[in-house]
Amino acid sequence: MSNICAIIVHKPQQENLQTCLNRLQQQTRQPESILVVSPEQELPLPESIHQLQVDGVHGSMGAAAKGLEYAFLTLQADAAWVLADRTLPRPAALEQLLAAKTDARTICLGMMIDPAQGDELSHPISIPGKRPGVWVPITRKADLPAGPAIPCRNGSYGALISREAWETVGTPAELLHTQGGATYSWEIQQAGYQLATIPGAEIEHPTAPRPLIHYRLASRSYFYEPGIPIERQYYKMRNWAWLHRLQAPRNYPGRLALCGVYILFSLNAMLQSNELGIKRVYNLFRALHNGFYGKLRPY
């Protein structure tokens, strides 16, 4: 991977873009090119920074998809490092990703941490359990297994995607809009690739303002994120049901049962976080209905 393109998905009104660019320039192994993907026109950036304007209606997943296409087709990159303007890689992050002793069929991801929380994990990392097909979400760094590369189930920002993987899997579906990292990760693994978090490749990313609510039933985990905008919650729930449709398109009873459990846990979490209202309850049922029947309707 001699030609690395760092892609920054930039949202309007976000203030961290320049900080993220500064962090890329501080990398001990700098990327050959930097691409900022944004719905905004011609940001005031140095000429060395490539810019790509996209339609904001497709959200962050659509922006990432367009960014990957531009990086591989226009900039002829060997690999693309997907970031957001709120993800701030520490100086050795890219060097550690490239130095990871993994095979060509492994997609390496940076480890998201929150400096405000003592460098604890920003989001749970799902690692293989004791039985095949079982994944265990880890929320504390101390509970992660030792090693330079930790097998994991999903991740989007902070991933170093090779040209070969992109040519095999393609780009994320634009209609996922946002919160579609789990779906793209599943597609990558279905194509025969593995995912691994690299602990040495630290990327600063703030945790949610309010702690995640976690429920566990047998080998499955359900997370509810209090306080997020209802539009983002819609896409998170819709894409969850959509992913299960992709995984088991003909297992209607099983998927219906999972949706029922998801509804019960979500309602309880809404009550626990004082968010149980008509609008969010309707949003929950509409999102799951659309995902269950394969309708990627916008919010």
Side-chain angles (χ1 to χ4, degrees):
M1 297 183 185
S2 57
N3 183 356
I4 310 295
C5 176
I7 301 172
I8 303 176
V9 176
H10 170 61
K11 291 184 178 181
Q13 285 80 54
Q14 288 285 344
E15 300 177 354
N16 290 338
L17 176 59
Q18 189 57 55
T19 304
C20 186
L21 289 171
N22 291 341
R23 291 295 186 91
L24 288 177
Q25 293 169 353
Q26 295 167 9
Q27 291 296 299
T28 54
R29 197 296 193 186
Q30 295 188 4
E32 277 66 34
S33 59
I34 298 174
L35 171 64
V36 175
V37 186
S38 171
E40 295 182 326
Q41 294 182 353
E42 290 300 319
L43 295 165
L45 299 174
E47 292 184 1
S48 60
I49 307 296
H50 299 272
Q51 297 189 49
L52 178 63
Q53 185 183 6
V54 295
D55 192 336
V57 72
H58 294 307
S60 57
M61 292 304 294
K66 294 297 185 184
L68 286 168
E69 292 176 354
Y70 191 92
F72 290 118
L73 297 178
T74 302
L75 301 180
Q76 294 298 306
D78 297 320
W81 191 20
V82 185
L83 301 166
D85 47 17
R86 63 186 183 278
T87 57
L88 307 176
R90 288 186 170 172
L94 182 54
E95 181 179 1
Q96 290 291 323
L97 286 174
L98 292 171
K101 294 181 179 180
T102 57
D103 57 36
R105 305 289 292 181
T106 298
I107 303 299
C108 294
L109 302 103
M111 188 168 70
M112 299 293 182
I113 58 173
D114 185 0
Q117 303 295 327
D119 285 355
E120 269 297 351
L121 299 178
S122 298
H123 304 286
I125 297 177
S126 291
I127 65 172
K130 295 181 179 179
R131 291 184 289 116
V134 174
W135 295 88
V136 179
I138 303 298
T139 58
R140 298 171 61 250
K141 287 170 66 175
D143 297 330
L144 289 171
I150 302 171
C152 61
R153 182 168 61 172
N154 54 49
S156 52
Y157 291 128
L160 186 63
I161 300 176
S162 66
R163 169 182 286 275
E164 177 189 315
W166 175 78
E167 290 176 342
T168 303
V169 182
T171 53
E174 295 179 3
L175 290 178
L176 290 173
H177 192 274
T178 187
Q179 302 292 311
T183 298
Y184 193 53
S185 296
W186 179 78
E187 291 173 344
I188 288 174
Q189 291 169 90
Q190 288 299 109
Y193 290 85
Q194 308 289 329
L195 299 177
T197 295
I198 310 303
E202 295 180 324
I203 300 177
E204 296 175 10
H205 183 46
T207 57
R210 297 166 64 181
L212 294 173
I213 298 176
H214 179 206
Y215 298 105
R216 188 169 182 84
L217 179 64
S219 62
R220 293 183 177 272
S221 286
Y222 298 82
F223 288 94
Y224 182 88
E225 189 174 355
I228 63 174
I230 194 168
E231 179 179 0
R232 181 180 166 193
Q233 191 177 68
Y234 167 79
Y235 287 113
K236 189 171 187 176
M237 294 173 168
R238 186 205 64 178
N239 292 346
W240 177 90
W242 166 259
L243 175 58
H244 282 79
R245 178 185 174 87
L246 292 179
Q247 293 172 336
R250 298 183 182 277
N251 186 10
Y252 297 104
R255 290 195 289 117
L256 193 61
L258 286 176
C259 284
V261 174
Y262 192 97
I263 289 170
L264 291 175
F265 283 157
S266 296
L267 292 175
N268 189 67
M270 289 178 185
L271 181 63
Q272 182 179 338
S273 56
N274 198 30
E275 292 183 348
L276 187 62
I278 294 176
K279 193 172 183 179
R280 285 200 185 265
V281 172
Y282 171 74
N283 189 58
L284 165 65
F285 281 89
R286 177 174 177 262
L288 294 183
H289 174 274
N290 287 340
F292 185 89
Y293 288 105
K295 299 175 181 178
L296 293 180
R297 291 169 174 162
Y299 173 74

